[in-house]
Amino acid sequence: MPDSPVVETAGQDPQRRTRRRNAMAAVVGSVLEWYDFFLFSTSAALVFNKIYFSGESEFAATLASFATFAVGFAARPVGGLILAHFGDRWGRKPVLMVTLLMMGFGTLAIGVLPTYEQIGLWAPALLVVCRILQGLGVGAELGGAYVWTTESAKPGNRGFYASLPGAGEFLGVLCASGSMAVVSSLPQEQFLSWGWRLPYLASLLVVIGGIVLRYTSEESESFKDAVAEGRTEKAPLVKAVRGHGRRILLMVGAGCATAIASYSIQGYLPDAYTTQQLGLPDNVAVIAITVASAVSIFGVPFCGWLCDRIGRRPLIIAGGLAVAVCAGPFWLLVGTESTPLIVMAVILVFAVMLNSMIFGPAGSFFSELLPTEVRYTGLVLARETTAVLFSGTAPFIATLLVHAGGGSPWLLAGYMALSGIVTAVSVLLLPETAPRVLRRKEPRGAGDGRTAADNTYAEV
């Protein structure tokens, strides 16, 4: 007589609490990452050009302020690859403690930094140092959070758990936009003297909570197994490129849509297009992106949950094709100059297609494509390559394409559509990963609703 199936309950699962704590610890870092990002980008436009670069002309001060913002992007791949190297050698938990401390210290230091009038050129120099410190930590934060949550979850719910850090990013955007909205309502003199500093200082609460959570969390069992079996690599970057170079290149392609289309919407739409091209109020696109970010907080984990049931590839491919089809209609709706239609367009493309359908399953999908000993390094390499090639250049290229089109967004729509096709084709060339187990000692078929034959050892 065959054994009766074992029904696992919360009381019989001693690892359930560990999984949840690891997920919470990962989410806190993602919240802080995008809280920092939004605060700095907003401050660069409203504050830094006035109090840290005040010795320059208004135009030069604005350029210098945005150049400081860009420095963080330049530091990301450097910090990401260095920290991911140690994450694959020493463990995910200690490195994610370091990333949180780096981001947190950089943000808090900006909140107490003297102005140009107080210490002269030291002020912008120290601002650049703080921004570099933030960028070094950010480069390894989300990739590490993906790896940590994926390895800590059971096979049947890895997609959901790995999507939570992504949802945390949009929660960080809302927290930052809300706090800046409050302090920017102060009189101009008070806002520039002390008001803008309050959101930076408030990040201390997130840092303390994150440190406590991460300190009391546990290393993933996948990494513990790799250490016990002597499978850690001395040079994970070399191993990742030599052994998994094709997959990493396809992962870069798979991230095209969320890089190009997302940053065209976030970086180009709010000021350069809706305000300068269409003459709309400054807050129209900001409202649309804020509402879409709120929708993404729920849409990202929903699609993470869904990809555990139907697979990672179908959702991401459908999202890429949807972006390709809807890129033209998106700009048509924006061109109506109707605030409700613009908000609807941003919700559909940015929140539903890009963030939920593509970004939601990406954390588990990318993590599962690589073996434990190079997973952190390979994922960060793919993610930061995408950021350097496509994310950071998207607003600049969008500006050139609209200018080349005589103010029309059709060339930009074609660029966005192409990014969706590249994402869909890249994912089509990659294997489905949802059924796979990540650990040698993990019971095949346990708790994921699949039979042993459905599970493939991901590290072979």
Side-chain angles (χ1 to χ4, degrees):
M1 182 176 179
D3 294 336
S4 299
V6 176
V7 179
E8 189 177 74
T9 64
Q12 296 173 324
D13 183 7
Q15 295 299 319
R16 185 177 184 181
R17 184 176 180 181
T18 298
R19 285 194 292 269
R20 289 185 172 181
R21 180 173 288 275
N22 286 7
M24 290 174 60
V27 169
V28 168
S30 298
V31 171
L32 181 63
E33 175 185 350
W34 275 78
Y35 182 84
D36 293 347
F37 176 88
F38 191 90
L39 280 184
F40 202 100
S41 62
T42 305
S43 301
L46 300 178
V47 179
F48 297 158
N49 57 330
K50 297 179 177 67
I51 67 173
Y52 288 114
F53 300 96
S54 54
E56 308 291 337
S57 67
E58 183 178 353
F59 177 70
T62 301
L63 284 181
S65 182
F66 280 116
T68 305
F69 174 69
V71 165
F73 276 93
R76 276 178 51 172
V78 177
L81 290 175
I82 291 174
L83 291 170
H85 168 87
F86 293 109
D88 278 328
R89 293 209 60 194
W90 296 347
R92 289 54 164 123
K93 176 182 169 179
V95 168
L96 286 172
M97 290 280 288
V98 172
T99 62
L100 190 62
L101 287 170
M102 292 174 71
M103 292 188 302
F105 183 80
T107 303
L108 288 170
I110 291 173
V112 298
L113 207 61
T115 66
Y116 182 87
E117 289 185 357
Q118 293 170 322
I119 61 172
L121 291 174
W122 281 106
L126 289 173
L127 181 64
V128 170
V129 171
C130 291
R131 184 57 180 160
I132 290 174
L133 189 62
Q134 283 182 323
L136 293 173
V138 165
E141 172 59 38
L142 185 59
Y146 280 157
V147 169
W148 200 22
T149 49
T150 299
E151 293 179 345
S152 299
K154 295 195 300 184
N157 56 19
R158 282 201 304 262
F160 172 73
Y161 273 90
S163 71
L164 295 179
E169 294 203 344
F170 299 105
L171 180 58
V173 170
L174 288 184
C175 292
S177 62
S179 62
M180 285 299 289
V182 171
V183 297
S184 62
S185 65
L186 293 168
Q188 181 78 351
E189 183 179 351
Q190 295 180 24
F191 172 65
L192 290 178
S193 63
W194 56 268
W196 71 271
R197 299 180 184 273
L198 297 180
Y200 286 88
L201 299 178
S203 67
L204 178 62
L205 299 175
V206 181
V207 174
I208 293 174
I211 291 299
V212 171
L213 278 171
R214 291 190 174 181
Y215 182 77
T216 56
S217 298
E218 294 186 13
E219 186 58 78
S220 74
E221 293 298 325
S222 295
F223 185 78
K224 289 180 182 178
D225 288 347
V227 172
E229 297 166 10
R231 290 188 289 114
T232 56
E233 290 287 336
K234 291 184 178 180
L237 178 60
V238 175
K239 177 71 173 181
V241 173
R242 287 181 177 176
H244 309 277
R246 178 180 179 274
R247 284 195 176 184
I248 291 172
L249 283 175
L250 289 173
M251 288 162 66
V252 172
C256 268
T258 49
I260 292 171
S262 288
Y263 279 86
S264 294
I265 294 172
Q266 293 179 85
Y268 176 72
L269 181 68
D271 179 63
Y273 192 76
T274 55
T275 302
Q276 296 180 20
Q277 290 286 336
L278 301 181
L280 297 175
D282 294 344
N283 65 343
V284 170
V286 174
I287 290 171
I289 293 171
T290 301
V291 173
S293 296
V295 172
S296 301
I297 293 174
F298 302 96
V300 170
F302 172 76
C303 284
W305 171 85
L306 186 60
C307 78
D308 281 325
R309 282 141 187 83
I310 67 173
R312 316 326 184 195
R313 293 169 75 245
L315 265 178
I316 301 177
I317 291 172
L321 294 177
V323 170
V325 171
C326 295
F330 171 83
W331 290 103
L332 276 176
L333 288 173
V334 171
T336 64
E337 302 183 15
S338 165
T339 298
L341 291 180
I342 292 173
V343 172
M344 183 183 72
V346 174
I347 289 174
L348 287 176
V349 176
F350 182 64
V352 176
M353 298 174 191
L354 292 167
N355 296 340
S356 301
M357 297 178 69
I358 300 176
F359 188 60
S364 55
F365 184 55
F366 288 176
S367 297
E368 292 162 339
L369 283 167
L370 300 167
T372 299
E373 55 267 26
V374 298
R375 182 171 292 131
Y376 200 161
T377 301
L379 195 155
V380 167
L381 176 61
R383 183 171 182 267
E384 294 308 315
T385 300
T386 303
V388 170
L389 294 179
F390 304 120
S391 299
T393 59
F396 179 77
I397 292 176
T399 303
L400 291 180
L401 291 175
V402 172
H403 178 75
S408 169
W410 294 114
L411 289 175
L412 175 55
Y415 187 49
M416 287 175 56
L418 179 62
S419 74
I421 293 172
V422 171
T423 288
V425 172
S426 298
V427 175
L428 191 63
L429 296 174
L430 288 166
E432 179 58 73
T433 63
R436 294 182 171 187
V437 296
L438 300 180
R439 296 171 51 209
R440 296 181 188 274
K441 299 176 183 178
E442 190 168 13
R444 298 179 181 243
D448 61 356
R450 300 182 178 90
T451 66
D454 292 327
N455 286 319
T456 307
Y457 177 46
E459 304 195 359
V460 171

